[in-house]
Amino acid sequence: MPSSAFDELIAKCTGSAVHLEMRDTYAVDYEKGPFADWKSGFRHDPADRASWWRPWLDLMQETVSRGIVVRRARIVSEPVSEYTRFLHDGTFTNVAAGEQVRWLPRRRASDIALPGNDFWIFDERWIHWNHFAGDGSSLGEEVTDDPAAAKLCANAFETVWSRAIPHDQYEIR
């Protein structure tokens, strides 16, 4: 769920918003119910948009409609975790909202200098770090415009993006 800091950064964004996810499991509160439902066999019907559309997708659609390029890359271990299967199964919703999404098998990221935390970077300047505990629960956020950190994040993201597989071509292993 976006925070007020995130909301402010995405609202002020003028060109690009990119997100790098590097964990195989997340345990954020707002996904506990949907993940449990998915594990019990529930799957969204892509044709029934009203059943899966949610505020996050409104925000992404509005952001993209302002001309902002929104890209998300996920570095994943293979074989993938159950949680990654859940993410992959639901990513069609992100794509429907206008996000571009790619997947990079972790074995293809070994020589990339990566930051220690997941992040969003807005206009290659503002970084919104996402901090997580070992169990995947959220430990909060941090925002910085440190130029060295921004350069690291932008370079890491672009390298991951160039190697990653578009969502519609990535096959779960």
Side-chain angles (χ1 to χ4, degrees):
M1 226 8 96
S3 66
S4 58
F6 179 91
D7 290 342
E8 185 177 328
L9 289 167
I10 198 109
K12 290 181 178 180
C13 187
T14 60
S16 67
V18 301
H19 185 40
L20 183 61
E21 298 176 11
M22 298 180 282
R23 297 181 58 89
D24 290 319
T25 301
Y26 293 88
V28 289
D29 289 339
Y30 60 88
E31 286 184 348
K32 286 181 181 174
F35 184 40
D37 293 345
W38 182 87
K39 289 194 305 186
S40 295
F42 175 79
R43 299 296 183 270
H44 287 293
D45 177 358
D48 185 10
R49 183 179 173 120
S51 71
W52 49 261
W53 198 261
R54 58 194 187 279
W56 171 258
L57 301 173
D58 284 334
L59 177 61
M60 289 300 100
Q61 187 174 51
E62 187 277 329
T63 301
V64 170
S65 73
R66 290 191 292 120
I68 308 304
V69 176
V70 180
R71 296 182 293 162
R72 177 187 304 259
R74 293 178 170 138
I75 298 174
V76 296
S77 299
E78 292 179 328
V80 299
S81 68
E82 185 177 35
Y83 185 85
T84 297
R85 287 181 185 281
F86 161 70
L87 285 180
H88 188 269
D89 190 60
T91 295
F92 76 89
T93 65
N94 301 81
V95 173
E99 285 187 53
Q100 299 172 41
V101 181
R102 292 187 181 181
W103 303 80
L104 182 65
R106 192 171 307 281
R107 71 181 181 281
R108 294 182 56 203
S110 297
D111 62 345
I112 302 172
L114 297 167
N117 295 291
D118 289 10
F119 64 86
W120 279 88
I121 185 167
F122 302 92
D123 296 328
E124 297 184 0
R125 178 176 174 210
W126 288 97
I127 305 164
H128 181 272
W129 300 108
N130 296 307
H131 298 291
F132 296 95
D135 67 358
S137 60
S138 177
L139 293 176
E141 65 186 355
E142 179 183 356
V143 175
T144 184
D145 67 345
D146 175 69
K151 183 177 180 181
L152 171 68
C153 290
N155 289 343
F157 185 87
E158 292 306 326
T159 302
V160 168
W161 189 258
S162 71
R163 295 181 188 183
I165 303 162
H167 174 70
D168 63 350
Q169 296 172 27
Y170 181 68
E171 295 180 22
I172 289 291
R173 298 174 199 265

